[in-house]
Amino acid sequence: MADFDFALGEMADAIRDTTARFAADRIAPIAAKVDADDWFPREIWPEMGALGLHGITVDEADGGLGLGYLEHVVAQEEIARASASIGLSYGAHSNLCVNQIRRWATAEQKARYLPKLISGEHVGSLAMSEAGAGSDVVSMKLRAEKKGDRYVLNGTKFWITNATYADTLVVYAKTGEGSRGITTFIIEKDFKGFSIGQKIDKVGMRGSPTAELVFDDCEVPEENVMGPVGGGVGVLMSGLDYERTVLAGIQLGIMQACLDTVLPYVRDRKQFGQPIGAFQLMQAKVADMYVALNSARAYVYAVAKNCDAGRTTRFDAAGAILLASENAVKVANEAVQALGGAGYTKDWPVERYMRDAKLLDIGAGTNEIRRMLIGREVIGGVA
């Protein structure tokens, strides 16, 4: 089947080709083990770094490729096509951590942290959520108190992707009260008073480690404040549009992986003397899967292009991941159904796609929050 040409440009096509080859050679062969053993293959991080994948949106002067969110989405899609869990960890590293440092860090902070993150020598993470502060993230309780030339952090973060392997973490903490009382910090794993708490055993996205962070009188040098003191909400919110756009690429990859499995199966599997793909009900199912993928692609790619042009809107970034996440869940469910009994076994990967797809109905903002945001902003001011 020929792919629809979205005319993304030579650079995006080149990134897709490079990433797809790497994913097919190095990620796809280990994807089942990553899931079954809940294993994070740390050793491929430098290999991805050598291809430039960790620094796609970072300026060339800072060691990156100097490209845009469109190319980042394409790379995200191809990695997730091979393994959604590695794709999730990749997105948390390259976008949530690296891209925020690229956008907000001082020249000195960039020089200190970006080289090893971009090379893949170090793993990055971002910590917003807490056990009692998810959708209402501004209600976070992690407290940072200024003491001399450093801040002392006390509290916890929860649901943190890459936590157990992260060397560098972008962390939000309370330095005051209300939405103007949050500050962003760059945390190193060896800082005194910082540790990893409870590890979370997830239904899907296994192999993308998720855990609690514990700050027990954690000492952070003043020079590790990123962005303005008290301006953390601005840092946080400004990154959400890009986060949602790039992470939507994971769902595109999952849907493509579903078609990669279903199409050969329905051509080869025979019942009543003919391939099951010859039956109109099965053709309709495949048609719905194909349209769900490409409609989501069109929206996500368009939003990514607008991010690069500085024209993105918060409600469209939310809309793109909303469409992609819900379509991916439907497509993964249909992939299981198309394979029948085989689809409900561990012998085929579609059950993994189904488990993995559900995460982004919840993570990076639930679909309920996305709908609230979209509806509020589209309607505008109402009494």
Side-chain angles (χ1 to χ4, degrees), residues 1-14:
M1 180 185 72
D3 290 333
F4 183 83
D5 185 2
F6 284 92
L8 302 183
E10 291 183 6
M11 188 54 68
D13 291 344

Side-chain angles (χ1 to χ4, degrees), residues 35-242:
D35 176 72
D37 297 347
D38 200 11
W39 165 53
F40 178 66
R42 177 69 181 80
E43 62 271 20
I44 70 171
W45 234 238
E47 297 178 40
M48 295 166 73
L51 294 175
L53 295 176
H54 297 315
I56 288 177
T57 58
V58 176
D59 294 339
E60 291 182 82
D62 292 318
L65 296 183
L67 301 175
Y69 295 106
L70 177 62
E71 289 82 10
H72 203 171
V73 166
V74 166
Q76 178 75 86
E77 178 181 353
E78 292 301 328
I79 291 169
R81 180 179 182 180
S83 168
S85 62
I86 294 176
L88 179 62
S89 284
Y90 167 70
H93 171 95
S94 61
N95 180 261
L96 278 67
C97 180
V98 171
N99 191 60
Q100 282 292 73
I101 292 175
R102 190 271 299 182
R103 296 178 64 242
W104 287 97
T106 64
E108 292 78 11
Q109 290 169 339
K110 290 179 183 179
R112 180 172 182 178
Y113 293 108
L114 284 180
K116 289 184 178 181
L117 288 167
I118 291 171
S119 71
E121 181 179 345
H122 282 181
V123 173
S125 180
L126 179 141
M128 290 190 298
S129 299
E130 299 178 4
S135 297
D136 182 17
V137 70
V138 176
S139 68
M140 65 179 66
K141 303 296 184 186
L142 176 64
R143 174 68 58 177
E145 294 187 16
K146 182 77 182 300
K147 294 188 177 180
D149 63 351
R150 58 193 56 237
Y151 285 83
V152 178
L153 275 61
N154 281 285
T156 61
K157 291 291 181 182
F158 210 62
W159 309 113
I160 307 307
T161 302
N162 292 350
T164 49
Y165 287 88
D167 302 280
T168 304
L169 305 96
V170 174
V171 176
Y172 299 95
K174 280 286 182 74
T175 50
E177 301 302 324
S179 61
R180 297 183 182 274
I182 293 175
T183 300
T184 313
F185 297 88
I186 301 177
I187 304 295
E188 299 175 22
K189 68 175 181 179
D190 295 327
F191 278 176
K192 179 183 177 183
F194 173 73
S195 63
I196 304 301
Q198 174 186 350
K199 295 177 179 63
I200 300 167
D201 189 13
K202 306 188 300 295
V203 169
M205 295 294 190
R206 296 173 57 78
S208 178
T210 307
E212 176 187 33
L213 307 179
V214 178
F215 300 84
D216 184 8
D217 287 335
C218 176
E219 298 182 6
V220 182
E222 185 175 9
E223 59 264 28
N224 278 54
V225 170
M226 190 172 79
V229 173
V233 168
V235 176
L236 186 159
M237 294 300 180
S238 73
L240 286 179
D241 294 345
Y242 306 117

